Amino acid sequence: MKQAYFLALLSALTLAAGPAGAAADENSNIALPAGTELQVRLTSALSTKSSDSGDPWVGRVIEPIFAQGREVVPASSRVDGHITYLKPAGRAAGAGEMRIVADTITTPAEGTFTIVASLQDAEGRNGSKLKDEEGTIQGPGKDAKEAAKEAGIGAAVGAGVGVMTAGGKGALYGAGIGVVAAAIHSLAKKHKGVVLPPGTEMTFVLSRASLSKQVPAPRPNPSSP
């Protein structure tokens, strides 16, 4: 009889604790939904001259992020990422390029979010800016297409001058001179690399949802005064 009573009491306690336990477990997973904007201020320096592919970078959250009706990522939370692609600048190779990603967000209370986020906006101090949807940042200068276009314009202008001065042969001669002149002009304009100094503001967008478990508060030590 006592055993039956004990089992019935244990069952009742389990049922009573079930919803509360489920709610606590549900609240322990904080989700950042896909499409969440992450605004970051860079605290380390990055450049195509001194950095390498794979190098880490660190930043701080500018604007807090809210989820499930409350703030889960406060401003100044740490953001860690790395460089995935880097192309140094060169006179003939064109402007420098760099691609970076954000990997984690570390918060004081919610732990660490491991994220997949693409760069949507960034602007360096020397005019570096976002080039494409892949998040490539390009330094100031012309790319290969622009250089080719400039050479074509030079050839056309040279050919026109040649026709006016010496007919058909003059056109060929003038076109050649135009290409050379355009190439010299292009090389004279030194291409620049990407420079992202500390303080550079960047905007990332989460490509998929990210979960993080809350960090439990430390229990007081009974032996401590």
Side-chain angles (χ1 to χ4, degrees):
M1 183 68 180
K2 289 183 178 180
Q3 184 177 3
Y5 176 77
F6 176 75
L7 292 175
L9 180 61
L10 181 62
S11 176
L13 291 173
T14 302
L15 289 174
D25 183 66
E26 183 177 329
N27 289 334
S28 67
N29 292 313
I30 305 300
L32 296 180
T36 298
E37 281 197 1
L38 173 64
Q39 297 182 26
V40 181
R41 180 176 289 112
L42 195 64
T43 59
S44 52
L46 298 175
S47 77
T48 50
K49 185 176 181 180
S50 59
S51 304
D52 291 310
S53 181
D55 281 359
W57 60 266
V58 179
R60 295 287 175 178
V61 174
I62 300 174
E63 296 290 339
I65 299 175
F66 294 83
Q68 300 180 9
R70 63 189 181 89
E71 182 182 277
V72 295
V73 179
S76 297
S77 295
R78 177 180 172 125
V79 181
D80 288 88
H82 70 281
I83 301 172
T84 60
Y85 167 77
L86 188 145
K87 186 192 81 173
R91 289 185 179 274
E97 294 182 354
M98 179 189 297
R99 195 174 300 139
I100 63 176
V101 296
D103 300 316
T104 60
I105 308 171
T106 303
T107 68
E110 310 299 344
T112 299
F113 294 87
T114 299
I115 61 174
V116 178
S118 57
L119 184 66
Q120 297 292 308
D121 186 39
E123 187 170 342
R125 181 172 295 173
N126 69 335
S128 302
K129 58 185 179 180
L130 204 66
K131 173 187 175 183
D132 52 36
E133 295 181 354
E134 295 181 351
T136 306
I137 306 171
Q138 185 182 56
K142 296 185 295 298
D143 57 20
K145 288 184 179 179
E146 290 175 321
K149 182 178 179 181
E150 189 172 272
I153 293 173
V157 172
V161 173
V163 167
M164 288 187 293
T165 58
K169 290 183 179 180
L172 293 175
Y173 180 72
I177 292 178
V179 170
V180 172
I184 293 174
H185 176 68
S186 178
L187 290 175
K189 291 184 175 181
K190 183 179 180 181
H191 298 290
K192 297 182 180 179
V194 176
V195 178
L196 302 179
T200 299
E201 296 185 359
M202 306 177 291
T203 301
F204 294 86
V205 175
L206 270 64
S207 305
R208 63 187 185 193
S210 174
L211 291 174
S212 176
K213 289 188 176 181
Q214 295 182 16
V215 178
R219 295 182 179 180
N221 188 351
S223 62
S224 60

